[in-house]
Amino acid sequence: MDGADTPEDFAPSVWDEWNSKAPAQQRRDALSADAQLSEALEAVSGQDRERVTFAMGPMTLTFADFVAMRLNEHAFHTWDIEVVHDPAAVLPPTSAEVVADHLELVARFTAQPAGEQRTVRVNTTQPVRSFVIELEPEAAAFRPVDAHDGPVDLELPAEALARLVYGRLDAAHTPPTVSDANSRDALRHVFPGP
């Protein structure tokens, strides 16, 4: 909020502190830290929300982008836990909408070009969105579009596209409504996840 840059060693120091805790302490501290962050974010004035930016690695985020990224993290880490107990778990529709609307930002950093050159036109359901993913041998570009002029290569639920971009759409967790396995598999190579 004061315009100061985050020190380069900040994130590693946070992870070192986190990793030194027992699981029960991690759970308690995570709930407390989330409550504190929520209160702090809600207290930010409208004027400050317009002016503030956050540097996160190679990204510079607006206030809205920062909040959306935090929601994305919660949605995916919640899914990571739920899918252990329920292999059919999906991102909730309200989370899927927030995540889908910020996929372009995330895809810039999760894409790992696989040497293929093609364009993949994607439509999603729940919510309805359209995207174009341009694959080049050394680059990948992901952008939302209003609608497609021609045929669509891949149609799937928005939550499944989000999991694909985050590297969490393996064969065991792919919904049956995915329309084109070849396009899906091409994108799995570009977005392999951690």
Side-chain angles (χ1 to χ4, degrees), residues 2 22 24 36 49 52 64 71 84 89-90 93 166 184:
D2 65 6
Q36 290 172 17
R49 289 177 187 207
V52 72
L71 292 172
V84 170
V90 297
Y166 274 79
R184 178 206 60 210

Side-chain angles (χ1 to χ4, degrees), residues 55-76:
M56 294 184 71
M59 299 183 283
T60 300
L61 306 174
T62 65
F63 181 85
D65 289 337
F66 175 78
V67 171
M69 291 292 287
R70 290 297 305 143
L71 292 172
N72 288 3
E73 289 294 312
H74 276 278
F76 280 103

Side-chain angles (χ1 to χ4, degrees):
M1 293 299 296
D2 65 6
D5 289 336
T6 303
E8 291 291 326
D9 64 344
F10 177 73
S13 71
V14 170
W15 283 110
D16 289 344
E17 179 182 339
W18 176 259
N19 291 334
S20 70
K21 297 177 182 188
Q25 187 66 43
Q26 287 177 337
R27 183 175 50 251
R28 282 190 299 274
D29 289 355
L31 293 172
S32 174
D34 278 348
Q36 290 172 17
L37 178 60
S38 292
E39 288 174 15
L41 292 173
E42 290 171 5
V44 176
S45 71
Q47 184 178 11
D48 283 340
R49 289 177 187 207
E50 292 299 317
R51 74 162 180 83
V52 72
T53 59
F54 299 86
M56 294 184 71
M59 299 183 283
T60 300
L61 306 174
T62 65
F63 181 85
D65 289 337
F66 175 78
V67 171
M69 291 292 287
R70 290 297 305 143
L71 292 172
N72 288 3
E73 289 294 312
H74 276 278
F76 280 103
H77 291 308
T78 300
W79 180 84
D80 290 337
I81 294 166
E82 289 176 352
V83 76
V84 170
H85 303 287
D86 177 9
V90 297
L91 298 176
T94 53
S95 297
E97 183 169 3
V98 172
V99 174
D101 289 341
H102 290 85
L103 283 177
E104 178 182 18
L105 175 67
V106 172
R108 282 188 270 163
F109 301 99
T110 59
Q112 297 178 17
E116 184 174 4
Q117 184 162 350
R118 73 185 277 192
T119 298
V120 181
R121 291 169 189 81
V122 181
N123 278 348
T124 67
T125 59
Q126 302 171 324
V128 173
R129 299 288 188 270
S130 297
F131 302 93
V132 171
I133 305 170
E134 299 280 352
L135 304 179
E136 300 288 337
E138 300 297 321
F142 186 108
R143 62 185 167 83
V145 295
D146 290 333
H148 294 293
D149 294 333
V152 172
D153 301 301
L154 180 62
E155 186 164 353
L156 69 172
E159 74 83 29
L161 178 63
R163 288 190 293 114
L164 190 154
V165 170
Y166 274 79
R168 289 171 165 93
L169 191 71
D170 62 4
H173 303 100
T174 299
T177 55
V178 173
S179 64
D180 178 42
N182 291 329
S183 294
R184 178 206 60 210
D185 291 344
L187 293 177
R188 277 185 178 151
H189 291 296
V190 174
F191 300 105

